Amino acid sequence: MNSLSIVTTLIGRELRTAARTRSYYLLGLAVGGILLGLTFGGGGAATGYIPTVVDLLLPLEVLVPIVAVAIGYRAIPSDLDRGEVAMLDTYAVSPATYVGAVYLGRAAVLSAIVGVALLVVGLVVALVAAPDTGVFATHSGVDSPILFGRFLVVTLVFGNALVAVVLLASIVVSTARTAIVAAIAAVLVVVVGGEAAIVLGVLDGVFTETTLQLALGFIPNSAYRGLVFETVIGVLSAGESGYASPLVSAVGLLLWTGGSLGAAAGLLRWRVG
Amino acid sequence: MTDADEATSRGEPTDNDGDTSVVTTTGLTKEYGGRPIFEGVDLDIAPGAMTAVIGPNGIGKTTLLKTLLGHVDPTAGTVTYTGPDVDRPMGYLPQEPAFRPQFTVSETVDFYASLVDAAVDTEELLCEVNLYEARNRRVSALSGGMRRLLAVGQAVLGTPPVVCCDEPASGLDPSMARRVFESLAGRAADGMAVVVASHTLSLVETYADHVVILESGGVAAAGSPTELIERYDAADLWAVYDAVIDPAAGTTPPDEPTAADPQAGDEPATTVGAPRRGDDSSAERDAAASDAISDSGGQP
C-alpha cells in the first residue's frame, strides 16, 4: 500500500464518520443560525459584504474555536481508547500518516460547517443588500463578493489551525473523557493567553512597534484578525491596521498548524510505542 | 545506544539462518518505574503453531505481546522478526477491542482490508468469525463478544505471518470461544504464527502447540501442553498452572525452570499434531479465570 492510498482511505473514514454523526448536523445548523442572526441583527445584510464581515469577525473568533474543539477533541482519543490506533499501527499506518489523515478529515468537516454557513450568509447579503448600499467603494477599493470570499478562506485557515491545536491537546491526555478539557484549555491558552501575554508585554514595554506586529502574527486570533483587516476590511479603510503583515500572519497560522500536527504525530508515536 | 535501542524493528526482516522461528526474543526485560514486569524472557515463536502465554493477572502477558508488536519498548533485550518481508508482518487483537460505532461490520472489515495489499474475501472472513449474519449491523449494536469476533477477523486480515491475540476468548460464550480458538488454530495450521495471551486454560490445552507460563520475573515454565502435563505429573494444564504459580496448592514440579533460569523451560514452539479436545470440567474454572480482573500488562 502506498502512503497516498492509505491517507485517502483514512480521510474517507473520517468523512464517513462525520457524515453519520448527528451532532455535527446540529452543530452546522447552530453555526448557520447564529451567523445569520448576527448578519441580520447587525444590519450587515442590508448594507453589504464588508459591513457583514465587521459584524461577524468578533463572533467568529469565539465560534470557530468552539467548532474546532467540538469536531476535533474526540477523534484521536477515541481511537486510542478503542485500541484502533494500535491495530492501525500493524497496517503500516505510521503515526504521522494517521494524524495527518485525521487532521485533513476533521479540517474538511470544519470547513464544511463554517464554510457552508458563511456561504449562506454571503448569499443572503447578495440577495438582501439594498441596491444603493450594495456597492460600497472608496479610493482603495470596492465592496464585493470577492472580499467576502477572502474572509471565508481566512476564517477556514484560522479554524483549521485550531483543529490542529485541538488534536495535539487531545493526545496529551490519556482518555477521551479528559480530552475535551485539554482541548478547551489549549484553545483558551492559545487564543486568550496569547493575546493576554501580548497586552502584558505592551504594558511592560517589552515590545517595540515592529516586534509587536510580529508577535501579533504568531497568535492565532491576532493573526486571523490581522489577515481580515489587511486583506478584507483594510481595502476599504485608510491607514494602517496595526496588525502584522498578511504574510507574517499567514506564516503564523501555518506554523501553528504544522507545529501542532508534528508534535501530535511525535506524541502519538511515543504513546503507541 | 541502549539495549532497548538494539531491538529489531518490526517489518525489517533479518536473515533467518535456518532458524525455524519467525519472532525471537532474547533477554527481553521490561520495567515500569524501576519495577520489573518480566526479565530475561527468551522466546522463539514458530510459524505454523499457536503459542499461548498464560499467567496471573498483572504478570505482564499484555506487555509481552505489546513488546513483540513493537508497541512497548523493552527495557533490555531484543525482539527480532525474521519472517517474510510483507506490508503487515504482525496482526493484533487488543485486550478490549472496539471499533467506530457508526460503521457496520462489513464496512469495518472493508476499511481494514483496504489497508493491506492482499485481496481479502470479506464474506469468507465474516463467515469464519461467525459474523456473516450480522454483517449489516452497526458496530454500536454489537455485543462485546461480537466486537471481539470482529477484532479477531481484523487481526488475521491480509494473513500476516504473526498474529498476537490478547484474550481472544474473553467475553465469549463457550462455543464461540472454542470457535475462535479453532479458527486461530486453523490459521496456525496454514502457517501463521499465532501468539495468544489467555486465561482460558482448557482451550489453551486443547489448541496451543506451545505454552509459556509467566510468573513474577519471567518465564516459569514452557513447553507443549503434553510435555508440561507429563513434566509436572499433572492431570491437566490447570494442575500444571496451579503447580507453577502456586506450588503449595498443587502438584510439586520436578526440576521446575525458574525465572532466574528461563532458558531451561523455554523451548522453541513446535507444531504438534491434531488438536486435542479439552476437558469439559475445566470450563467453569476457565470462566472464573476469564472473569478475573483484566491483565493490565503491568502498566501503571
Side-chain angles (χ1 to χ4, degrees):
Chain A
M1 289 290 287
N2 61 54
S3 296
L4 184 61
S5 54
I6 288 176
V7 168
T8 307
T9 302
L10 290 171
I11 291 174
R13 175 176 180 249
E14 292 302 322
L15 294 179
R16 284 202 304 277
T17 300
R20 295 176 186 183
T21 305
R22 203 174 304 163
S23 56
Y24 289 167
Y25 293 98
L26 295 174
L27 182 65
L29 286 173
V31 170
I34 290 170
L35 293 185
L36 279 175
L38 290 167
T39 302
F40 283 113
T47 47
Y49 297 104
I50 297 297
T52 303
V53 169
V54 173
D55 286 344
L56 296 183
L57 179 57
L58 190 58
L60 278 170
E61 283 190 46
V62 177
L63 205 53
V64 168
I66 291 172
V67 175
V69 169
I71 65 169
Y73 85 95
R74 280 180 67 100
I76 296 177
S78 293
D79 276 351
L80 279 167
D81 283 357
R82 285 188 290 259
E84 285 204 271
V85 175
M87 287 188 255
L88 285 169
D89 188 61
T90 67
Y91 289 85
V93 177
S94 69
T97 302
Y98 170 76
V99 167
V102 169
Y103 169 74
L104 290 173
R106 299 288 160 162
V109 175
L110 179 136
S111 300
I113 290 173
V114 176
V116 168
L118 284 176
L119 280 175
V120 170
V121 167
L123 192 64
V124 166
V125 172
L127 296 173
V128 172
D132 56 336
T133 56
V135 177
F136 183 29
T138 69
H139 292 297
S140 305
V142 59
D143 189 15
S144 78
I146 291 174
L147 292 181
F148 193 78
R150 278 189 206 167
F151 174 61
L152 192 156
V153 170
V154 169
T155 302
L156 296 186
V157 171
F158 167 59
N160 290 331
L162 292 181
V163 169
V165 173
V166 167
L167 290 183
L168 169 60
S170 71
I171 304 176
V172 172
V173 294
S174 57
T175 66
R177 286 183 182 178
T178 48
I180 188 166
V181 178
I184 291 171
V187 168
L188 282 176
V189 167
V190 169
V191 171
V192 180
E195 296 207 323
I198 285 185
V199 170
L200 288 175
V202 170
L203 291 175
D204 290 346
V206 173
F207 294 112
T208 63
E209 189 176 341
T210 308
T211 56
L212 175 62
Q213 285 193 348
L214 200 61
L216 286 170
F218 288 96
I219 304 297
N221 270 48
S222 302
Y224 169 55
R225 211 177 301 130
L227 278 170
V228 172
F229 270 100
E230 292 290 333
T231 63
V232 181
I233 300 171
V235 171
L236 297 179
S237 62
E240 294 186 7
S241 69
Y243 283 96
S245 72
L247 180 64
V248 171
S249 296
V251 168
L253 288 175
L254 290 176
L255 279 178
W256 276 102
T257 307
S260 296
L261 292 177
L267 194 56
L268 192 67
R269 184 183 298 279
W270 176 75
R271 282 193 63 170
V272 175
Chain B
M1 177 184 267
T2 65
D3 287 337
D5 292 329
E6 293 171 2
T8 302
S9 308
R10 289 177 304 112
E12 293 176 9
T14 57
D15 292 338
N16 208 329
D17 293 335
D19 191 350
T20 57
S21 62
V22 67
V23 175
T24 304
T25 73
T26 307
L28 205 60
T29 299
K30 182 62 188 176
E31 296 178 357
Y32 280 113
R35 186 173 72 91
I37 305 301
F38 49 75
E39 292 178 88
V41 173
D42 298 323
L43 292 176
D44 290 314
I45 308 296
M50 182 190 290
T51 301
V53 181
I54 63 175
N57 290 315
I59 208 69
K61 300 186 296 295
T62 296
T63 302
L64 179 60
L65 257 57
K66 287 182 175 178
T67 310
L68 295 178
L69 287 156
H71 294 172
V72 168
D73 289 332
T75 307
T78 59
V79 177
T80 309
Y81 172 77
T82 53
D85 186 10
V86 293
D87 66 333
R88 192 185 186 214
M90 293 196 197
Y92 178 44
L93 165 64
Q95 193 174 60
E96 294 175 9
F99 299 93
R100 290 204 171 177
Q102 295 92 344
F103 294 105
T104 65
V105 168
S106 278
E107 288 171 335
T108 301
V109 172
D110 286 339
F111 163 70
Y112 282 98
S114 66
L115 297 173
V116 294
D117 284 327
V120 177
D121 187 336
T122 304
E123 291 192 356
E124 186 182 334
L125 184 67
L126 290 175
C127 287
E128 182 181 333
V129 295
N130 209 34
L131 281 176
Y132 184 74
E133 296 298 323
R135 64 190 182 283
N136 293 322
R137 205 184 292 181
R138 287 255 174 115
V139 168
S140 57
L142 297 180
S143 67
M146 292 170 93
R147 281 201 297 273
R148 187 166 293 275
L149 292 173
L150 181 56
V152 170
Q154 173 279 136
V156 299
L157 257 173
T159 319
V162 183
V163 63
C164 295
C165 300
D166 201 349
E167 298 291 350
S170 176
L172 301 179
D173 63 64
S175 63
M176 197 50 66
R178 184 176 297 278
R179 181 161 183 147
V180 165
F181 266 80
E182 276 176 358
S183 171
L184 291 173
R187 293 282 177 168
D190 290 341
M192 192 180 277
V194 178
V195 185
V196 298
S198 180
H199 288 297
T200 316
L201 297 190
S202 63
L203 293 173
V204 167
E205 183 180 334
T206 304
Y207 294 104
D209 302 297
H210 191 73
V211 177
V212 176
I213 304 178
L214 285 186
E215 171 59 307
S216 305
V219 176
S224 72
T226 309
E227 287 168 356
L228 288 170
I229 289 168
E230 285 176 2
R231 190 188 308 166
Y232 286 85
D233 192 21
D236 56 19
L237 193 59
W238 253 102
V240 173
Y241 182 87
D242 279 343
V244 172
I245 301 302
D246 187 10
T251 311
T252 304
D255 303 325
E256 179 185 338
T258 63
D261 184 19
Q263 294 272 21
D266 193 24
E267 301 147 4
T270 52
T271 307
V272 296
R276 300 164 299 282
R277 284 284 147 201
D279 178 3
D280 289 342
S281 66
S282 56
E284 287 183 12
R285 291 181 294 178
D286 286 344
S290 296
D291 289 344
I293 300 167
S294 298
D295 175 17
S296 66
Q299 294 192 60

